[in-house]
Amino acid sequence: MDIGNSSLVAEFILVGLTTYSEIQLPLFFLFLGIYIVTVTGNLGLVTLIGLNSHLHAPMYYFLFNLSLIDLCYSSVITPKLLVNFVSKMNTISYAGCMTQLFFYCFFVSAECYMLTVMAFDRYVAICKPLQYTVTMSPQVCSLLAVIVYVGAFVGAWAHTGCMLRLTFCDANTINHYMCDILPLLELSCTSTHINELVVLIVVGFDVSVPSLTIIVSYSFILSSILRIRSTEGRSKAFSTCSSHIIVVSIFFGSGAFMYLHPSSVLSMDQGKVSTVFYTIVAPMLNPLIYSFRNKEVKVALKKNLSRISFS
């Protein structure tokens, strides 16, 4: 694909998260710390699940994939943001911008779908426990993972392909810390009606269908939990879902707030703050939430730390 002929702009300038110079350095260290925690937490969770055979269950298989997605997702966005804080002018080539846009769209869609699959897994585990082994077999889990990544690829290609057809003339300053869809559309000197329609359809699908699936799944889960007579049983059943509920709320809430609104309601500066939550904060919180609120993960972590200390 020759992307060089689709635009007159050779590179873009990223404004960054803020233009206030006095807080650039403190923000650099803040987001550097967040990125280190994100990489350490997700890489640690991936390693922990891979090394412990008792974590080779469907729930942890999907958590393994979610951590991989978060690790890559954060690495697509955060390094460029960090450069913004320490450089006077942060530029990105046209090809680099389109590449970042594609992988950003890919991983954010993959996270949407993976969280949906994880909700379905919890539904089967709690509502149909006797059928769990058959329903969530290794073959089914692999197929669901493939569907997640194929669906994410299709959505990312739809956004990026439509962006490649636009022409960018003189304006090349992106009012953002990354190559996101809406700020790029503002710079185009050609019609963006098709792009806006694609955003409405694809993002609407990525938010509404997973959200509806998750809501329906948890409606059945809540109904099943309430039918459990013992308090201990209800508490144990709910504890297996609480981490997922927190992660879903953070991710879908901030994502919907950013994209599903009229452009006149939310300024781009406010949008950048919203984007921080699901591009940078959520990938950091996910492994922490699942680690601290999951008994099996904590037990596996203690065992591995004990082995390291006695070796």
Side-chain angles (χ1 to χ4, degrees):
M1 179 187 300
D2 183 10
I3 62 175
N5 294 330
S6 60
S7 174
L8 301 176
V9 172
E11 65 179 17
F12 294 100
I13 300 170
L14 294 169
V15 171
L17 187 60
T18 179
T19 56
Y20 294 105
S21 57
E22 61 272 14
I23 63 172
Q24 297 279 9
L25 196 59
L27 286 176
F28 170 80
F29 287 109
L30 172 64
F31 284 99
L32 178 62
I34 290 174
Y35 184 57
I36 291 171
V37 173
T38 301
V39 172
T40 304
N42 284 292
L43 197 58
L45 203 51
V46 165
T47 305
L48 197 65
I49 294 171
L51 292 177
N52 291 270
S53 57
H54 73 279
L55 294 181
H56 294 176
M59 182 176 76
Y60 298 106
Y61 172 77
F62 296 128
L63 182 56
F64 178 93
N65 279 274
L66 181 67
S67 294
L68 277 179
I69 291 168
D70 282 333
L71 181 61
C72 299
Y73 183 22
S74 180
S75 297
V76 167
I77 305 299
T78 312
K80 201 63 181 173
L81 171 63
L82 293 174
V83 173
N84 260 312
F85 291 131
V86 294
S87 63
K88 290 184 179 179
M89 185 178 293
N90 186 19
T91 61
I92 184 170
S93 68
Y94 178 84
C97 187
M98 294 301 113
T99 301
Q100 186 188 54
L101 175 67
F102 173 81
F103 283 108
Y104 159 65
C105 293
F106 175 80
F107 288 119
V108 74
S109 296
E111 180 131 348
C112 274
Y113 300 146
M114 192 58 69
L115 289 172
T116 306
V117 169
M118 293 172 77
F120 175 72
D121 171 72
R122 291 299 83 206
Y123 158 73
V124 178
I126 294 173
C127 300
K128 301 181 183 296
L130 298 179
Q131 302 174 26
Y132 184 72
T133 305
V134 176
T135 305
M136 302 305 294
S137 65
Q139 293 79 12
V140 172
C141 291
S142 298
L143 177 61
L144 288 172
V146 169
I147 292 172
V148 165
Y149 292 119
V150 170
F153 178 84
V154 171
W157 183 243
H159 287 304
T160 311
C162 287
M163 195 65 70
L164 289 171
R165 57 176 287 278
L166 297 180
T167 300
F168 299 93
C169 303
D170 298 323
N172 70 334
T173 301
I174 301 174
N175 185 20
H176 215 300
Y177 56 83
M178 65 177 183
C179 291
D180 198 1
I181 299 167
L182 300 183
L184 280 169
L185 293 183
E186 290 185 349
L187 301 181
S188 175
C189 53
T190 51
S191 174
T192 61
H193 290 308
I194 293 177
N195 298 69
E196 291 169 3
L197 183 61
V198 169
V199 169
L200 184 64
I201 294 171
V202 176
V203 176
F205 180 88
D206 286 350
V207 173
S208 61
V209 174
S211 297
L212 182 62
T213 304
I214 291 170
I215 290 170
V216 171
S217 297
Y218 274 106
S219 297
F220 285 111
I221 289 171
L222 183 60
S223 176
S224 295
I225 290 175
L226 292 176
R227 287 200 297 267
I228 299 174
R229 293 183 178 181
S230 68
T231 305
E232 184 181 350
R234 286 197 298 268
S235 177
K236 184 178 179 181
F238 184 74
S239 67
T240 65
C241 306
S242 57
S243 300
H244 184 258
I245 292 171
I246 295 170
V247 170
V248 165
S249 301
I250 294 171
F251 183 80
F252 280 91
S254 56
F257 182 72
M258 174 62 190
Y259 286 102
L260 300 181
H261 63 83
S263 57
S264 58
V265 173
L266 192 67
S267 72
M268 190 55 65
D269 288 336
Q270 291 172 315
K272 284 190 285 187
V273 175
S274 174
T275 310
V276 166
F277 281 95
Y278 69 89
T279 59
I280 297 172
V281 177
M284 176 193 69
L285 292 178
N286 290 355
L288 297 178
I289 292 170
Y290 276 104
S291 297
F292 289 127
R293 298 182 66 87
N294 190 290
K295 186 177 179 180
E296 290 182 307
V297 171
K298 287 191 286 187
V299 169
L301 180 60
K302 288 178 181 178
K303 284 183 178 179
N304 282 268
L305 291 176
S306 299
R307 290 173 191 169
I308 294 172
S309 60
F310 286 110
S311 59

